[in-house]
Amino acid sequence: MVRQALYALNAHPTFLRWMMGRHVYSDAVHITPELMQAKHQTTQAKEARFASVAFVTGGLDPVQQRTDWLDLMQVVTVPKLVIVGQQSPPKSKAEMEMLSAMTGVESAIAPGSLGLGEEYSEKALAFLLPFLAQHLVD
């Protein structure tokens, strides 16, 4: 019952909007009532709480330490592109910059935060499409 109450608080539209404005989007003008309705509707899907809990507790993370993650990224031999959001939270931005500094990693800086792929999709695609065209083989 306590877990359900905590999830209900985390899935409340007011809390969702606060989180969107704090971490996900960089410009509140993009956080429209329609967007918030869609985000809230997602939280109401059957069993949605399990995905949320897994994300918040780190259950979706394949590794526990940043160094392990960076080691894995060095082993991967495919081309990599990191698009860093200018307004990303400091810890996330530092990790993106660490990845960007690795050999064989291309990087770009775009407006936005953690949700720049949604908020500034055209800008993200402007970096992503040439990267894919360059590295995809027929």
Side-chain angles (χ1 to χ4, degrees), residues 27-87:
D27 189 343
V29 74
H30 297 136
I31 305 173
T32 64
E34 296 79 18
L35 174 69
M36 293 314 307
Q37 182 179 3
K39 296 294 182 185
H40 183 257
Q41 188 174 10
T42 300
T43 69
Q44 303 307 300
K46 184 177 180 180
E47 313 297 347
R49 69 183 184 279
F50 295 115
S52 178
V53 169
F55 174 75
V56 171
T57 62
L60 298 177
D61 298 338
V63 295
Q64 298 302 313
Q65 295 188 31
R66 179 185 309 139
T67 54
D68 295 337
W69 182 77
L70 291 171
D71 290 344
L72 285 174
M73 293 307 294
Q74 287 180 326
V75 173
V76 175
T77 59
V78 299
K80 299 174 223 39
L81 171 66
V82 177
I83 303 175
V84 180
Q86 291 172 325
Q87 293 83 21

Coordinates of all heavy atoms in Angstrom, one line a residue, residues 27-87:
D27 N 13.3 24.1 -21.6 CA 12.5 25.3 -21.8 C 11.0 25.0 -21.5 O 10.4 24.1 -22.2 CB 12.6 25.8 -23.2 CG 11.9 27.2 -23.5 OD1 11.1 27.6 -22.6 OD2 12.2 27.8 -24.5
A28 N 10.5 25.6 -20.5 CA 9.1 25.3 -20.0 C 8.1 25.5 -21.0 O 7.0 24.9 -21.0 CB 8.8 26.1 -18.7
V29 N 8.3 26.3 -22.0 CA 7.4 26.5 -23.1 C 7.0 25.3 -23.8 O 5.9 25.1 -24.4 CB 7.8 27.7 -24.0 CG1 8.9 27.2 -25.0 CG2 6.6 28.2 -24.8
H30 N 8.0 24.3 -23.9 CA 7.8 23.0 -24.5 C 7.0 22.0 -23.7 O 6.6 21.0 -24.2 CB 9.1 22.4 -25.0 CG 9.8 23.3 -25.9 ND1 11.2 23.5 -25.8 CD2 9.4 24.0 -27.0 CE1 11.6 24.3 -26.8 NE2 10.5 24.6 -27.6
I31 N 6.7 22.3 -22.5 CA 6.0 21.4 -21.6 C 4.5 21.8 -21.7 O 4.0 22.5 -20.8 CB 6.5 21.5 -20.1 CG1 8.0 21.2 -20.1 CG2 5.8 20.4 -19.3 CD1 8.7 21.4 -18.8
T32 N 3.9 21.3 -22.7 CA 2.5 21.7 -23.0 C 1.5 20.8 -22.2 O 1.9 19.8 -21.7 CB 2.2 21.6 -24.5 OG1 2.3 20.2 -24.8 CG2 3.2 22.4 -25.3
P33 N 0.3 21.3 -22.0 CA -0.7 20.5 -21.4 C -0.9 19.1 -22.1 O -1.1 18.1 -21.5 CB -2.0 21.3 -21.5 CG -1.5 22.7 -21.5 CD -0.2 22.7 -22.3
E34 N -0.8 19.1 -23.4 CA -0.9 17.9 -24.2 C 0.2 16.9 -23.9 O 0.0 15.7 -23.8 CB -1.0 18.2 -25.7 CG -2.2 19.0 -26.2 CD -2.1 20.5 -25.9 OE1 -0.9 21.0 -25.7 OE2 -3.1 21.2 -25.9
L35 N 1.4 17.5 -23.8 CA 2.6 16.6 -23.5 C 2.4 16.0 -22.1 O 2.6 14.8 -21.9 CB 3.9 17.4 -23.5 CG 5.1 16.7 -23.1 CD1 5.5 15.6 -24.1 CD2 6.3 17.7 -22.9
M36 N 2.0 16.9 -21.2 CA 1.8 16.4 -19.8 C 0.7 15.3 -19.7 O 0.8 14.4 -18.9 CB 1.6 17.5 -18.8 CG 2.8 18.4 -18.7 SD 4.4 17.6 -18.4 CE 4.0 16.5 -17.0
Q37 N -0.4 15.5 -20.5 CA -1.4 14.5 -20.5 C -0.9 13.2 -21.0 O -1.2 12.1 -20.4 CB -2.6 15.0 -21.3 CG -3.8 14.0 -21.3 CD -4.9 14.5 -22.2 OE1 -4.9 15.6 -22.8 NE2 -6.0 13.8 -22.2
A38 N -0.1 13.2 -22.1 CA 0.5 12.0 -22.6 C 1.4 11.3 -21.6 O 1.4 10.1 -21.5 CB 1.2 12.3 -23.9
K39 N 2.3 12.1 -21.0 CA 3.2 11.6 -20.0 C 2.4 10.9 -18.8 O 2.8 9.9 -18.4 CB 4.2 12.7 -19.5 CG 5.1 13.2 -20.5 CD 6.1 12.2 -21.0 CE 7.0 12.9 -22.0 NZ 7.9 11.9 -22.6
H40 N 1.4 11.6 -18.3 CA 0.6 11.1 -17.2 C -0.1 9.8 -17.7 O -0.2 8.8 -16.9 CB -0.4 12.1 -16.7 CG -1.2 11.6 -15.6 ND1 -2.5 11.2 -15.7 CD2 -0.8 11.4 -14.3 CE1 -2.9 10.7 -14.5 NE2 -1.9 10.9 -13.6
Q41 N -0.6 9.8 -18.9 CA -1.3 8.6 -19.4 C -0.4 7.4 -19.4 O -0.8 6.3 -19.1 CB -1.9 8.9 -20.8 CG -2.8 7.8 -21.3 CD -3.4 8.2 -22.6 OE1 -3.1 9.2 -23.2 NE2 -4.4 7.4 -23.0
T42 N 0.9 7.6 -19.8 CA 1.9 6.6 -19.8 C 2.0 6.0 -18.4 O 2.2 4.8 -18.2 CB 3.2 7.1 -20.3 OG1 3.0 7.6 -21.6 CG2 4.3 6.0 -20.3
T43 N 2.0 6.8 -17.3 CA 2.2 6.3 -16.0 C 1.0 5.5 -15.5 O 1.1 4.8 -14.5 CB 2.4 7.5 -15.0 OG1 1.2 8.2 -14.8 CG2 3.5 8.4 -15.4
Q44 N -0.1 5.6 -16.2 CA -1.3 4.9 -15.8 C -1.5 3.5 -16.5 O -2.5 2.8 -16.2 CB -2.6 5.8 -16.0 CG -2.5 7.1 -15.3 CD -2.2 7.0 -13.8 OE1 -3.0 6.3 -13.1 NE2 -1.1 7.5 -13.4
A45 N -0.6 3.2 -17.4 CA -0.7 1.9 -18.1 C -0.5 0.8 -17.1 O 0.1 0.9 -16.0 CB 0.4 1.8 -19.2
K46 N -1.1 -0.4 -17.4 CA -1.0 -1.5 -16.5 C 0.5 -1.9 -16.2 O 1.3 -1.9 -17.2 CB -1.7 -2.7 -17.2 CG -1.8 -3.9 -16.3 CD -2.5 -5.1 -16.9 CE -2.5 -6.2 -15.9 NZ -3.2 -7.4 -16.4
E47 N 0.8 -2.0 -15.0 CA 2.1 -2.4 -14.5 C 3.2 -1.3 -14.8 O 4.4 -1.6 -14.7 CB 2.6 -3.7 -15.1 CG 1.6 -4.8 -15.1 CD 1.2 -5.3 -13.7 OE1 1.8 -4.9 -12.7 OE2 0.2 -6.0 -13.5
A48 N 2.8 -0.1 -15.1 CA 3.8 0.9 -15.4 C 4.7 1.2 -14.2 O 5.8 1.6 -14.4 CB 3.1 2.2 -15.8
R49 N 4.2 1.0 -13.0 CA 5.0 1.3 -11.8 C 6.3 0.5 -11.8 O 7.2 1.0 -11.2 CB 4.1 1.1 -10.6 CG 3.8 -0.3 -10.3 CD 2.9 -0.4 -9.0 NE 2.6 -1.7 -8.6 CZ 1.7 -2.5 -9.2 NH1 0.9 -2.0 -10.1 NH2 1.5 -3.7 -8.7
F50 N 6.3 -0.7 -12.4 CA 7.5 -1.5 -12.3 C 8.6 -0.9 -13.1 O 9.8 -1.0 -12.7 CB 7.1 -2.9 -12.7 CG 6.2 -3.6 -11.8 CD1 4.9 -4.0 -12.3 CD2 6.5 -3.9 -10.5 CE1 4.0 -4.6 -11.4 CE2 5.6 -4.5 -9.6 CZ 4.4 -4.9 -10.1
A51 N 8.3 -0.3 -14.2 CA 9.3 0.3 -15.0 C 9.9 1.5 -14.3 O 11.1 1.7 -14.3 CB 8.8 0.7 -16.4
S52 N 9.0 2.3 -13.7 CA 9.4 3.5 -13.0 C 10.4 3.1 -11.8 O 11.4 3.7 -11.6 CB 8.2 4.2 -12.5 OG 8.6 5.3 -11.7
V53 N 10.0 2.1 -11.1 CA 10.8 1.7 -9.9 C 12.1 1.1 -10.4 O 13.2 1.4 -9.8 CB 10.0 0.6 -9.1 CG1 10.9 -0.1 -8.1 CG2 8.8 1.2 -8.4
A54 N 12.1 0.4 -11.5 CA 13.4 -0.2 -12.0 C 14.3 1.0 -12.4 O 15.5 0.9 -12.2 CB 13.1 -1.1 -13.1
F55 N 13.8 2.0 -13.0 CA 14.6 3.2 -13.4 C 15.1 3.9 -12.2 O 16.3 4.2 -12.1 CB 13.7 4.1 -14.3 CG 14.4 5.4 -14.7 CD1 15.5 5.4 -15.6 CD2 14.1 6.6 -14.0 CE1 16.1 6.5 -16.0 CE2 14.8 7.7 -14.4 CZ 15.8 7.7 -15.3
V56 N 14.3 4.2 -11.3 CA 14.7 5.0 -10.1 C 15.7 4.3 -9.2 O 16.6 4.9 -8.7 CB 13.4 5.4 -9.3 CG1 13.8 6.1 -8.0 CG2 12.6 6.4 -10.1
T57 N 15.6 3.0 -9.1 CA 16.5 2.2 -8.2 C 17.7 1.8 -8.9 O 18.6 1.1 -8.3 CB 15.7 1.0 -7.6 OG1 15.3 0.1 -8.7 CG2 14.5 1.4 -6.8
G58 N 17.8 2.0 -10.2 CA 19.0 1.6 -11.0 C 18.9 0.2 -11.5 O 19.9 -0.4 -12.0
G59 N 17.7 -0.4 -11.4 CA 17.5 -1.8 -11.9 C 17.7 -1.9 -13.4 O 17.9 -3.0 -13.9
L60 N 17.6 -0.8 -14.1 CA 17.8 -0.9 -15.6 C 19.3 -0.7 -16.0 O 19.6 -0.9 -17.1 CB 16.9 0.2 -16.3 CG 15.4 0.0 -16.1 CD1 14.7 1.2 -16.7 CD2 14.9 -1.3 -16.6
D61 N 20.1 -0.3 -15.0 CA 21.5 0.0 -15.3 C 22.3 -1.4 -15.5 O 22.3 -2.2 -14.5 CB 22.1 0.8 -14.2 CG 21.5 2.2 -14.1 OD1 20.9 2.6 -15.1 OD2 21.6 2.8 -13.0
P62 N 23.0 -1.6 -16.6 CA 23.7 -2.8 -16.8 C 25.0 -2.9 -15.9 O 25.5 -4.0 -15.7 CB 24.1 -2.8 -18.2 CG 24.1 -1.3 -18.6 CD 23.1 -0.7 -17.7
V63 N 25.5 -1.8 -15.4 CA 26.7 -1.8 -14.5 C 26.4 -0.9 -13.3 O 25.5 0.0 -13.4 CB 27.9 -1.3 -15.3 CG1 28.3 -2.3 -16.4 CG2 27.7 0.1 -15.8
Q64 N 27.2 -1.0 -12.3 CA 26.9 -0.2 -11.1 C 27.9 1.0 -10.9 O 27.6 1.9 -10.2 CB 27.1 -1.1 -9.9 CG 26.1 -2.3 -9.8 CD 24.7 -1.8 -9.8 OE1 24.3 -0.8 -9.1 NE2 23.8 -2.3 -10.7
Q65 N 29.0 1.0 -11.6 CA 29.9 2.1 -11.5 C 30.3 2.7 -12.8 O 30.3 2.0 -13.9 CB 31.2 1.6 -10.9 CG 31.0 1.1 -9.4 CD 32.4 0.7 -8.8 OE1 33.4 1.4 -9.1 NE2 32.4 -0.2 -7.9
R66 N 30.5 4.0 -12.8 CA 30.8 4.7 -14.0 C 32.0 4.2 -14.8 O 32.0 4.1 -16.0 CB 31.0 6.2 -13.7 CG 31.4 7.0 -14.9 CD 31.7 8.5 -14.6 NE 30.8 9.1 -13.7 CZ 31.1 9.9 -12.7 NH1 32.3 10.2 -12.4 NH2 30.2 10.4 -12.0
T67 N 33.0 3.8 -14.0 CA 34.2 3.2 -14.7 C 33.9 2.0 -15.4 O 34.5 1.7 -16.5 CB 35.3 3.0 -13.7 OG1 34.8 2.2 -12.6 CG2 35.8 4.3 -13.1
D68 N 33.1 1.1 -14.9 CA 32.7 -0.1 -15.6 C 32.0 0.2 -16.9 O 32.2 -0.4 -18.0 CB 31.8 -1.0 -14.8 CG 32.5 -1.5 -13.5 OD1 33.7 -1.6 -13.5 OD2 31.8 -1.8 -12.5
W69 N 31.1 1.2 -16.9 CA 30.4 1.7 -18.1 C 31.3 2.2 -19.1 O 31.2 1.9 -20.3 CB 29.3 2.7 -17.7 CG 28.5 3.2 -18.8 CD1 27.4 2.5 -19.4 CD2 28.6 4.4 -19.5 NE1 26.9 3.3 -20.4 CE2 27.6 4.5 -20.4 CE3 29.5 5.5 -19.3 CZ2 27.4 5.5 -21.3 CZ3 29.3 6.6 -20.2 CH2 28.3 6.6 -21.1
L70 N 32.3 3.0 -18.7 CA 33.2 3.6 -19.7 C 34.1 2.5 -20.3 O 34.4 2.5 -21.4 CB 34.1 4.6 -19.0 CG 33.3 5.9 -18.6 CD1 34.2 6.8 -17.8 CD2 32.9 6.7 -19.9
D71 N 34.5 1.5 -19.4 CA 35.2 0.3 -19.9 C 34.5 -0.4 -21.0 O 35.0 -0.8 -22.0 CB 35.6 -0.6 -18.8 CG 36.7 -0.1 -17.9 OD1 37.3 0.9 -18.2 OD2 36.8 -0.6 -16.8
L72 N 33.2 -0.6 -20.8 CA 32.3 -1.3 -21.8 C 32.3 -0.5 -23.1 O 32.3 -1.1 -24.2 CB 30.9 -1.5 -21.2 CG 30.7 -2.6 -20.2 CD1 29.3 -2.6 -19.6 CD2 31.1 -4.0 -20.8
M73 N 32.2 0.8 -23.0 CA 32.1 1.7 -24.2 C 33.4 1.6 -25.0 O 33.3 1.7 -26.2 CB 31.8 3.1 -23.8 CG 30.4 3.3 -23.2 SD 29.0 2.6 -24.2 CE 29.1 3.6 -25.7
Q74 N 34.5 1.4 -24.3 CA 35.8 1.3 -25.1 C 35.9 0.0 -25.8 O 36.5 0.0 -26.9 CB 37.0 1.5 -24.1 CG 37.1 2.9 -23.6 CD 38.3 3.0 -22.7 OE1 38.6 2.2 -21.9 NE2 38.9 4.2 -22.7
V75 N 35.2 -1.0 -25.3 CA 35.3 -2.3 -26.0 C 34.4 -2.4 -27.2 O 34.7 -3.1 -28.2 CB 34.8 -3.4 -25.0 CG1 34.7 -4.8 -25.6 CG2 35.8 -3.5 -23.8
V76 N 33.3 -1.6 -27.2 CA 32.4 -1.6 -28.4 C 33.1 -0.9 -29.5 O 33.6 0.2 -29.4 CB 31.1 -0.8 -28.0 CG1 30.2 -0.7 -29.2 CG2 30.4 -1.5 -26.8
T77 N 33.1 -1.6 -30.7 CA 33.9 -1.1 -31.8 C 33.0 -0.4 -32.9 O 33.6 0.1 -33.8 CB 34.6 -2.3 -32.5 OG1 33.7 -3.3 -32.9 CG2 35.6 -2.9 -31.6
V78 N 31.7 -0.3 -32.6 CA 30.9 0.4 -33.6 C 31.1 1.9 -33.4 O 31.4 2.4 -32.3 CB 29.4 0.0 -33.4 CG1 29.2 -1.4 -33.7 CG2 28.9 0.4 -32.1
P79 N 30.8 2.7 -34.5 CA 30.9 4.1 -34.3 C 29.9 4.6 -33.3 O 28.8 4.1 -33.1 CB 30.5 4.6 -35.7 CG 30.8 3.5 -36.6 CD 30.5 2.3 -35.8
K80 N 30.3 5.7 -32.5 CA 29.4 6.2 -31.5 C 29.3 7.7 -31.6 O 30.3 8.4 -32.0 CB 30.1 5.9 -30.1 CG 30.2 4.4 -29.8 CD 31.0 4.2 -28.5 CE 32.0 3.2 -28.5 NZ 32.9 2.9 -29.5
L81 N 28.1 8.2 -31.4 CA 27.8 9.6 -31.4 C 27.2 10.0 -30.1 O 26.2 9.3 -29.6 CB 26.9 10.0 -32.5 CG 26.3 11.4 -32.5 CD1 27.4 12.4 -32.8 CD2 25.2 11.5 -33.6
V82 N 27.7 11.0 -29.4 CA 27.1 11.5 -28.2 C 26.6 12.9 -28.5 O 27.3 13.7 -28.9 CB 28.1 11.5 -27.0 CG1 27.5 12.1 -25.8 CG2 28.6 10.2 -26.7
I83 N 25.3 13.1 -28.2 CA 24.7 14.5 -28.4 C 24.5 15.0 -26.9 O 23.6 14.5 -26.2 CB 23.4 14.5 -29.2 CG1 23.7 13.9 -30.6 CG2 22.9 15.9 -29.3 CD1 22.5 13.7 -31.4
V84 N 25.3 16.0 -26.6 CA 25.2 16.5 -25.2 C 24.3 17.7 -25.2 O 24.4 18.7 -25.9 CB 26.6 17.0 -24.8 CG1 26.6 17.6 -23.3 CG2 27.6 15.8 -24.9
G85 N 23.3 17.6 -24.2 CA 22.4 18.8 -24.0 C 23.1 19.9 -23.3 O 23.6 19.6 -22.2
Q86 N 23.0 21.1 -23.8 CA 23.7 22.2 -23.1 C 23.2 22.4 -21.7 O 24.0 22.8 -20.8 CB 23.5 23.5 -23.9 CG 24.2 23.5 -25.2 CD 23.8 24.7 -26.1 OE1 22.6 25.2 -26.1 NE2 24.7 25.3 -26.8
Q87 N 21.9 22.2 -21.4 CA 21.4 22.4 -20.1 C 21.2 21.1 -19.3 O 20.4 21.1 -18.4 CB 20.0 23.1 -20.2 CG 20.1 24.5 -20.7 CD 20.2 24.6 -22.3 OE1 19.8 23.7 -23.0 NE2 20.7 25.7 -22.8

